[in-house]
Structure formats: structure tokens, C-alpha cells
Amino acid sequence: MKKYPSASAYKNSRQSVVTIGTFDGVHIGHKAILKRLVETAKKENLDSVVLTFFPHPRMVLQQNVDIKLINTIEERTELLENTGLDHLVIHPFTHAFSRLTALEYVRDILVNSLKAKKIIIGYDHRFGRNRNADIEDLKEFGKTYNFEVEEISAKEIDDVAISSTKIRKSLNEGDIETANNYLGYNFMISGEVVKGKAIGRTINYPTANLKLKENYKLIPKNGVYIVESTIEGEKKFGITSIGTNPTVGGTEKTIETHFLNFNKDLYGKEITIAFLKYIRDEETFDSVEILKQEIEKDETFAKQFLKDRG
């Protein structure tokens, strides 16, 4: 898959079949549409192209709204790469871009830049300044610019919307299994391991304190989880605590992972943790000793879960 930072950077003489969307989560609903895109491209001897946008349009047009996304743009790119796609165009979404007329958008972006011969799009797709054009307008443009419009059914579009809503709701409720089922993979977060307060070391449970680069990444509900990670090429399992460490008077939200049977220095390393199971809510304990006992229970639970899981 080739990646482009804008539509104007796309340099390819072959005609294409294009689909357009945010594709946050790249979940099972999205994958059905992407499979159709890739299969259509092969059947009709066209290149498959996804046109997506970053930042998310609502981040630009509704700056007072706190938008949380299932994927970072890096995660989204990697997930899209695994779909067999030929080209991914990540076009910068700006106020100026949002002011393009429907004609300018179709002519300059879809036709002149992306060489669209076919566009696969949802019945509810809207585009152009103030989102005033719809799929019927796109079909009319197709007559002028010689491209075909294939409509994604209402059911498929609804499935995508329902899946996205359920994934976000499930993550906000700590229901990792439901989120993972809809995603078709384990929800993940990535970041740099930074120095924390090292409280875990004092009770013999050292943790890797993860600092995320992106403030728009959706973080699951505060609590304790079983996670997996690949470190130095090996799969490792751990217990991740998301919260403020109220037992020791913490106030800032942290994401800390105690890896089972692994205790190497990870400071400064970039790691990804994938969520497997929610264990319990974040709690305030009467003492650090009781906290330690609870962590021991979490560890026992995690080991049994992983054993049963095989």
C-alpha cells in the first residue's frame, strides 16, 4: 500500500475506484466495505484508493467539542494497510478545505487528483461547502466527469455506525470483549514509557508508565485490565491500571502496566498494549498493604484467565 499526505501528492496515471470516510476503528463494518473496494478494483482493473482525512473534521469545525477517536492516525494507517488496499490518501482537513464547493471537490480532488473511474459511497454521504451535496449530486457529476457511483446500502452504513457507537460505549464502560468483537482485533493504545512515582517498585510490583502522544485517543474506563504487548519480539502479558492512584493520593490520570514475569527497564521505549479483559473498577484502599493484596488477587485472576485462554 502506498501512502500520500494529500490528494495533490497522489501521482498515479492509472484510473481508480475510490471510497471516502473517516474509518475510525477500521472495524468489521468498515472491513466489509473495504473488501468490496479491493475486489471491485481487481475485477475492473482499477487501483483501489481510500480517501480519508486528518484531523477529524469535527476537530476542526467544532473545536469546543472534546473528540475521542478509537484509533490514532498511525493505528488507522496500519489497520488500513492490512486490508489489501493499493493507495491511502490522508488529506489534511482544514477550514479552507471545508469551504470547497461540491464542484471543486469532485473535479479537483476525486477526478483530477485521484483519477476516479468509480466511487463506492454510502447513501448518506454529503460533501462540499456546508455539506450541501449528496449522493444524487455525485451521480450527476459522474455523468459530466465520466465516473460511476456505486451506493453502499443503508444496512451496511447503519452497521458501520452501530459498530462504532457500540465500540466507544463498550470502551467507556470497560466492556473490552464487546469492543474487541466489533473491532475484529484487540483494542490497543501506544505510547512512550516514562518515569512515574515508582510506587509500584516499593511494593514489588514495578510498572511501565505509558505517556500517550495524542490527546484525542479514546482511553477505556478507569480500572484494571489484562493486556498483552510485544516487547523485544516476544509476547508479554500484564495488568494495566488506568486511573489516578487514589490510594496513594494521586490526582493525575495514569496508564500503568505491571508485566507478568518480566522486569526489564523500558524507560524511553515505545510500546503498544492490547486490551484483553476488564478485571475490576479503580478503588481507594485504606492502606498500601491492602492495595498490594488486591494486586496479588488481580495477578492470580490474570494468570488463570490466560491459562484458560490457552
Side-chain angles (χ1 to χ4, degrees):
M1 182 186 83
K2 293 182 179 176
K3 296 171 278 188
Y4 308 87
S6 68
S8 60
Y10 181 84
K11 305 296 181 189
N12 185 24
S13 58
R14 280 174 54 82
Q15 291 184 311
S16 64
V17 53
V18 180
T19 194
I20 305 151
T22 306
F23 294 101
D24 184 32
V26 195
H27 55 62
I28 53 174
H30 292 133
K31 282 173 188 163
I33 294 168
L34 293 163
K35 183 172 183 244
R36 187 160 146 195
L37 175 80
V38 170
E39 287 175 352
T40 301
K42 285 178 182 170
K43 187 171 73 178
E44 302 189 17
N45 194 28
L46 300 168
D47 278 11
S48 55
V49 177
V50 162
L51 172 61
T52 192
F53 306 101
F54 190 78
H56 190 287
R58 287 176 63 201
M59 288 180 181
V60 176
L61 302 177
Q62 302 172 20
Q63 290 185 354
N64 58 334
V65 177
D66 189 22
I67 308 293
K68 297 297 179 188
L69 301 182
I70 299 164
N71 296 142
T72 65
I73 191 61
E74 290 83 7
E75 290 166 354
R76 194 194 321 171
T77 300
E78 187 174 333
L79 289 161
L80 286 167
E81 192 160 11
N82 295 333
T83 64
L85 188 65
D86 293 320
H87 306 279
L88 173 62
V89 178
I90 305 170
H91 193 81
F93 193 92
T94 61
H95 279 287
F97 177 77
S98 75
R99 301 304 294 162
L100 289 181
T101 64
L103 169 62
E104 289 167 332
Y105 170 71
V106 171
R107 182 193 63 206
D108 300 345
I109 304 290
L110 301 182
V111 176
N112 292 344
S113 291
L114 303 185
K115 310 287 191 298
K117 185 68 179 172
K118 188 169 195 172
I119 297 168
I120 299 177
I121 206 71
Y123 73 96
D124 61 345
H125 183 70
R126 302 196 69 84
F127 60 97
R129 188 179 300 171
N130 300 322
R131 301 178 76 246
N132 60 3
D134 61 15
I135 192 165
E136 296 307 319
D137 296 305
L138 192 61
K139 288 174 181 175
E140 285 301 313
F141 283 123
K143 293 173 186 175
T144 304
Y145 292 105
N146 194 28
F147 63 77
E148 183 188 345
V149 178
E150 182 179 321
E151 187 172 337
I152 302 166
S153 71
K155 183 186 181 306
E156 280 184 280
I157 293 297
D158 288 346
D159 284 349
V160 166
I162 290 166
S163 295
S164 297
T165 300
K166 286 193 174 179
I167 290 163
R168 291 189 181 94
K169 183 173 184 287
S170 299
L171 292 171
N172 286 326
E173 293 174 352
D175 185 358
I176 293 300
E177 286 98 329
T178 296
N180 289 348
N181 283 338
Y182 276 99
L183 286 167
Y185 60 89
N186 296 326
F187 176 78
M188 69 197 101
I189 56 175
S190 302
E192 181 188 353
V193 178
V194 298
K195 290 191 183 293
K197 294 183 179 176
I199 292 162
R201 291 193 179 279
T202 66
I203 55 173
N204 206 29
Y205 281 99
T207 60
N209 190 9
L210 208 60
K211 183 181 181 183
L212 276 60
K213 286 185 296 185
E214 304 85 359
N215 59 7
Y216 63 85
K217 171 75 176 182
L218 195 158
I219 303 300
K221 170 187 173 181
N222 285 7
V224 180
Y225 298 83
I226 302 169
V227 300
E228 69 178 4
S229 185
T230 300
I231 300 172
E232 297 175 352
E234 289 185 25
K235 187 174 282 189
K236 300 293 180 185
F237 296 95
I239 300 164
T240 292
S241 174
I242 300 175
T244 58
N245 296 311
T247 301
V248 293
T251 54
E252 287 187 19
K253 190 167 188 167
T254 59
I255 302 167
E256 299 179 75
T257 302
H258 169 67
F259 286 104
L260 308 173
N261 306 318
F262 179 84
N263 191 19
K264 284 189 180 177
D265 185 356
L266 294 173
Y267 288 133
K269 287 186 166 55
E270 293 274 339
I271 64 168
T272 298
I273 56 172
F275 288 73
L276 306 179
K277 175 78 176 172
Y278 181 75
I279 301 179
R280 62 174 173 85
D281 285 351
E282 180 182 45
E283 296 179 60
T284 305
F285 300 103
D286 291 336
S287 69
V288 172
E289 186 56 39
I290 296 172
L291 169 63
K292 184 181 177 183
Q293 290 169 13
E294 199 63 31
I295 295 171
E296 287 169 0
K297 289 181 194 172
D298 296 338
E299 187 173 34
T300 301
F301 179 90
K303 285 177 177 175
Q304 188 60 49
F305 170 83
L306 294 167
K307 183 181 175 184
D308 293 344
R309 185 173 174 260

